[in-house]
Amino acid sequence: MYKLKLTQIGDAVGIVLPPKALGILKRRSGETIYVSEIEEGLLMLSAYDPALQDQIDAGREFLQDYGETLSELRK
């Protein structure tokens, strides 16, 4: 667990992530992270876009349903 201080940045408020937290996220300064509310009052930081994960899951489901048909069409 990390204790982070809120910092005024212009009209916004930001947090500074320590190097170890950035290492866990596998991100560097200037890169993007995503914040999702996973339940009321609880946020999750992630290096992965949740919308992209939804698309990947849909693609996997499609391949599961139509994989054989696609294999036959490829012949």
Side-chain angles (χ1 to χ4, degrees), residues 1-17:
M1 177 179 284
Y2 298 96
K3 182 178 178 179
L4 305 173
K5 187 171 186 163
L6 299 174
T7 305
Q8 190 72 39
I9 304 171
D11 291 340
V13 175
I15 58 173
V16 177
L17 295 174

Side-chain angles (χ1 to χ4, degrees), residues 24-75:
I24 291 169
L25 290 167
K26 297 183 174 127
R27 291 295 180 258
R28 295 179 291 181
S29 178
E31 294 183 320
T32 300
I33 60 170
Y34 299 89
V35 180
S36 302
E37 184 175 16
I38 54 176
E39 62 182 70
E40 189 173 332
L42 186 59
L43 299 175
M44 177 180 68
L45 297 178
S46 175
Y48 304 102
D49 181 352
L52 179 59
Q53 187 61 52
D54 290 344
Q55 292 174 6
I56 291 169
D57 292 343
R60 286 185 176 142
E61 186 177 328
F62 178 85
L63 287 175
Q64 195 171 41
D65 293 344
Y66 298 101
E68 282 186 41
T69 303
L70 292 172
S71 291
E72 288 299 315
L73 290 172
R74 206 175 4 190
K75 292 180 182 179

